[in-house]
Amino acid sequence: MHVLQHTEYGESFLIKNVRARWVLDSRGNPTVQVKVMTEGLGVGVGYAPSGASTGTHEALELRDGGRDFQGKGVRNAVDNVNRILAPALIGMDSRRQYEIDMKMIEIDGTKNKARIGGNAIVATSIAVIKAAASTMEVPLYQYIGGKYASLLPVPMLNIINGGLHAGNKLDFQEFMIVPAGFSSFSEALKASVEIYGELRKILKERYGPQAINVGDEGGFAPPLEKTRDALDLLIASIKSAGYVPGDQVAIALDVASSRLYNPDKKTYTVEGAELNADSLIEYYSRLISDYPIVSIEDPFHEEDYETFARFTNEFGNRVLVVGDDLFVTNPDRLKKGISMRAANAILVKVNQVGTVSETLTVVELASSSGLRTIISHRSGETEDTFISDFAVGVRAGLIKTGAPARGERTAKYNRLLEIEEEVEKPQYPGFKVFPRKP
Ligand code: PGA
Ligand code: ZN
């Protein structure tokens, strides 16, 4: 077995070098990449992902504006790492993640990481934890979760894209399949890939070759308008692949409803109709009765804790009610949600809050309050597989990382396949992470 020398040779963990550059994300926009090296020659590379349907209360993504890259350049964020964060971090112990993250927060000095940039800080934070794991010569999920971290997450695969992620007229943003009725991650992924393949065939037959173009997260973006048409297609694909809807493969939705909300009228525009919160609850209730739905994310807009709480009270024993834009991985917003019982699950995105330490705090708070945690990618991603290791490390039980297509999504699934093979006794929680089997 590998002998951990860090106790005797602590200096090998000292940060020797921090270097940022701009690279491209999956939409072809610039993003921040940071490489951290330790004295012991450990290396960690972190990337900032980027959302499209971002919550109002997220850490700020620093963009340059101006003409370069249509205003989306990250030259300032990169410079902030190289000129401000690097000199402060060099010489610090890479294992002191909390201290390092708090130092960056202190240097930034704003509430939403606006001065240094949430993108600059998150890429650095991720690079630091990877550099420490690399110096220790342990896989990242074990560095985070210990030797016995072995719980693989149930994936929620977004195979039909709507909302801001696609150029179609579907109001809801994500239609996901959830392969919970299997005994391992790899079997669950295999079924998902087969269902995705069936969906491609069905879409091509019914709507022609243009219907199999994919959206930002690798799901198809067919010319559909109605929620139920998308759900029926998921059911048809599950059956066509030879699986049993509900029993083996369930369905999850991300409504991303802040985008559908009209604050003046206090209504949501859904399929051309103006629904108030009560009618929207009724609408969801019918969907839950008619389809094997196990999870609904952001069913109400990002400030409406009250309706979230009413909905969770009524349906929380049947589905996960997930706060994404509601909580934005923020400890204070989560605390409010816990005290109001506004949700029974939280979507966790490291770049929403901006550091690994704050994310760990949120996961801890959620788990200890009985909320499920879903570790999530962003619609703009990179080849970074940090979230796969993170999900296993914190024993999240759930991960949301897109369709089984496009390299930035498959990188995460491929890493999970590797981890499942590597751990001594891998576990796959299946339906146990949901309130009930549909
Ligand atoms: P985003 O979408 O990364 O574009 O914010 C993902 C989500 O809403 O869950
Ligand atoms: Zn969401």
Side-chain angles (χ1 to χ4, degrees), residues 173-174 254 256 297-298 324-325 347 349 400:
Q173 180 177 279
E174 303 178 14
D254 181 2
E297 182 179 329
D298 284 343
D324 169 18
D325 291 346
L347 204 76
K349 296 165 168 169
K400 185 173 105 157

PDB file of all heavy atoms in Angstrom, residues 173-174 254 256 297-298 324-325 347 349 400, ligand 2:
ATOM      1  N   GLN A 173     -37.254  23.179 -19.074  1.00  0.00           N
ATOM      2  CA  GLN A 173     -35.877  23.163 -19.570  1.00  0.00           C
ATOM      3  C   GLN A 173     -35.305  21.756 -19.771  1.00  0.00           C
ATOM      4  O   GLN A 173     -34.564  21.518 -20.707  1.00  0.00           O
ATOM      5  CB  GLN A 173     -35.013  23.938 -18.569  1.00  0.00           C
ATOM      6  CG  GLN A 173     -33.552  24.027 -18.903  1.00  0.00           C
ATOM      7  CD  GLN A 173     -32.814  24.884 -17.875  1.00  0.00           C
ATOM      8  OE1 GLN A 173     -32.837  26.102 -17.963  1.00  0.00           O
ATOM      9  NE2 GLN A 173     -32.187  24.255 -16.905  1.00  0.00           N
ATOM     10  N   GLU A 174     -35.657  20.835 -18.875  1.00  0.00           N
ATOM     11  CA  GLU A 174     -35.000  19.522 -18.927  1.00  0.00           C
ATOM     12  C   GLU A 174     -35.968  18.376 -18.688  1.00  0.00           C
ATOM     13  O   GLU A 174     -36.743  18.399 -17.731  1.00  0.00           O
ATOM     14  CB  GLU A 174     -33.886  19.453 -17.865  1.00  0.00           C
ATOM     15  CG  GLU A 174     -32.871  20.567 -18.051  1.00  0.00           C
ATOM     16  CD  GLU A 174     -31.778  20.573 -16.994  1.00  0.00           C
ATOM     17  OE1 GLU A 174     -31.635  19.583 -16.255  1.00  0.00           O
ATOM     18  OE2 GLU A 174     -31.068  21.593 -16.929  1.00  0.00           O
ATOM     19  N   ASP A 254     -36.637  19.384 -14.890  1.00  0.00           N
ATOM     20  CA  ASP A 254     -36.186  20.685 -14.381  1.00  0.00           C
ATOM     21  C   ASP A 254     -37.009  21.730 -15.107  1.00  0.00           C
ATOM     22  O   ASP A 254     -36.853  21.936 -16.318  1.00  0.00           O
ATOM     23  CB  ASP A 254     -34.686  20.905 -14.631  1.00  0.00           C
ATOM     24  CG  ASP A 254     -34.216  22.257 -14.079  1.00  0.00           C
ATOM     25  OD1 ASP A 254     -35.038  22.981 -13.473  1.00  0.00           O
ATOM     26  OD2 ASP A 254     -33.032  22.596 -14.262  1.00  0.00           O
ATOM     27  N   ALA A 256     -37.077  24.963 -14.355  1.00  0.00           N
ATOM     28  CA  ALA A 256     -36.363  26.248 -14.423  1.00  0.00           C
ATOM     29  C   ALA A 256     -37.387  27.373 -14.578  1.00  0.00           C
ATOM     30  O   ALA A 256     -37.322  28.199 -15.481  1.00  0.00           O
ATOM     31  CB  ALA A 256     -35.339  26.258 -15.564  1.00  0.00           C
ATOM     32  N   GLU A 297     -37.470  19.869 -10.374  1.00  0.00           N
ATOM     33  CA  GLU A 297     -36.546  20.929  -9.961  1.00  0.00           C
ATOM     34  C   GLU A 297     -37.129  22.299 -10.301  1.00  0.00           C
ATOM     35  O   GLU A 297     -37.748  22.462 -11.354  1.00  0.00           O
ATOM     36  CB  GLU A 297     -35.230  20.695 -10.722  1.00  0.00           C
ATOM     37  CG  GLU A 297     -34.106  21.657 -10.407  1.00  0.00           C
ATOM     38  CD  GLU A 297     -32.849  21.293 -11.219  1.00  0.00           C
ATOM     39  OE1 GLU A 297     -32.652  20.093 -11.510  1.00  0.00           O
ATOM     40  OE2 GLU A 297     -32.098  22.210 -11.579  1.00  0.00           O
ATOM     41  N   ASP A 298     -36.895  23.248  -9.418  1.00  0.00           N
ATOM     42  CA  ASP A 298     -37.360  24.626  -9.599  1.00  0.00           C
ATOM     43  C   ASP A 298     -38.783  24.703 -10.167  1.00  0.00           C
ATOM     44  O   ASP A 298     -39.024  25.345 -11.197  1.00  0.00           O
ATOM     45  CB  ASP A 298     -36.384  25.416 -10.489  1.00  0.00           C
ATOM     46  CG  ASP A 298     -35.114  25.827  -9.735  1.00  0.00           C
ATOM     47  OD1 ASP A 298     -35.116  25.800  -8.493  1.00  0.00           O
ATOM     48  OD2 ASP A 298     -34.123  26.176 -10.394  1.00  0.00           O
ATOM     49  N   ASP A 324     -32.797  24.670  -7.149  1.00  0.00           N
ATOM     50  CA  ASP A 324     -31.557  25.020  -7.863  1.00  0.00           C
ATOM     51  C   ASP A 324     -31.406  26.536  -7.825  1.00  0.00           C
ATOM     52  O   ASP A 324     -30.679  27.079  -6.989  1.00  0.00           O
ATOM     53  CB  ASP A 324     -31.617  24.461  -9.293  1.00  0.00           C
ATOM     54  CG  ASP A 324     -30.497  24.990 -10.188  1.00  0.00           C
ATOM     55  OD1 ASP A 324     -29.496  25.503  -9.658  1.00  0.00           O
ATOM     56  OD2 ASP A 324     -30.617  24.907 -11.428  1.00  0.00           O
ATOM     57  N   ASP A 325     -32.148  27.248  -8.694  1.00  0.00           N
ATOM     58  CA  ASP A 325     -32.104  28.711  -8.643  1.00  0.00           C
ATOM     59  C   ASP A 325     -32.610  29.233  -7.292  1.00  0.00           C
ATOM     60  O   ASP A 325     -32.251  30.328  -6.871  1.00  0.00           O
ATOM     61  CB  ASP A 325     -32.959  29.311  -9.768  1.00  0.00           C
ATOM     62  CG  ASP A 325     -32.340  29.056 -11.140  1.00  0.00           C
ATOM     63  OD1 ASP A 325     -31.157  28.662 -11.191  1.00  0.00           O
ATOM     64  OD2 ASP A 325     -33.043  29.238 -12.155  1.00  0.00           O
ATOM     65  N   LEU A 347     -29.957  21.130  -5.536  1.00  0.00           N
ATOM     66  CA  LEU A 347     -29.000  20.954  -6.620  1.00  0.00           C
ATOM     67  C   LEU A 347     -27.722  21.682  -6.199  1.00  0.00           C
ATOM     68  O   LEU A 347     -27.789  22.818  -5.723  1.00  0.00           O
ATOM     69  CB  LEU A 347     -29.540  21.543  -7.921  1.00  0.00           C
ATOM     70  CG  LEU A 347     -28.921  20.913  -9.165  1.00  0.00           C
ATOM     71  CD1 LEU A 347     -29.529  19.530  -9.395  1.00  0.00           C
ATOM     72  CD2 LEU A 347     -29.137  21.761 -10.398  1.00  0.00           C
ATOM     73  N   LYS A 349     -24.052  23.114  -7.227  1.00  0.00           N
ATOM     74  CA  LYS A 349     -23.144  23.508  -8.303  1.00  0.00           C
ATOM     75  C   LYS A 349     -22.035  24.351  -7.680  1.00  0.00           C
ATOM     76  O   LYS A 349     -22.304  25.421  -7.133  1.00  0.00           O
ATOM     77  CB  LYS A 349     -23.889  24.357  -9.332  1.00  0.00           C
ATOM     78  CG  LYS A 349     -25.011  23.620 -10.072  1.00  0.00           C
ATOM     79  CD  LYS A 349     -25.919  24.625 -10.779  1.00  0.00           C
ATOM     80  CE  LYS A 349     -26.862  23.973 -11.765  1.00  0.00           C
ATOM     81  NZ  LYS A 349     -27.899  24.926 -12.233  1.00  0.00           N
ATOM     82  N   LYS A 400     -26.405  15.031 -11.730  1.00  0.00           N
ATOM     83  CA  LYS A 400     -27.080  15.482 -12.940  1.00  0.00           C
ATOM     84  C   LYS A 400     -25.995  16.003 -13.871  1.00  0.00           C
ATOM     85  O   LYS A 400     -25.341  16.997 -13.567  1.00  0.00           O
ATOM     86  CB  LYS A 400     -28.060  16.596 -12.565  1.00  0.00           C
ATOM     87  CG  LYS A 400     -28.904  17.070 -13.728  1.00  0.00           C
ATOM     88  CD  LYS A 400     -29.973  18.045 -13.271  1.00  0.00           C
ATOM     89  CE  LYS A 400     -29.604  19.451 -13.661  1.00  0.00           C
ATOM     90  NZ  LYS A 400     -30.761  20.368 -13.744  1.00  0.00           N
TER      91      LYS A 400
HETATM   92 ZN    ZN B   2     -31.939  23.841 -12.795  1.00  0.00          ZN
END
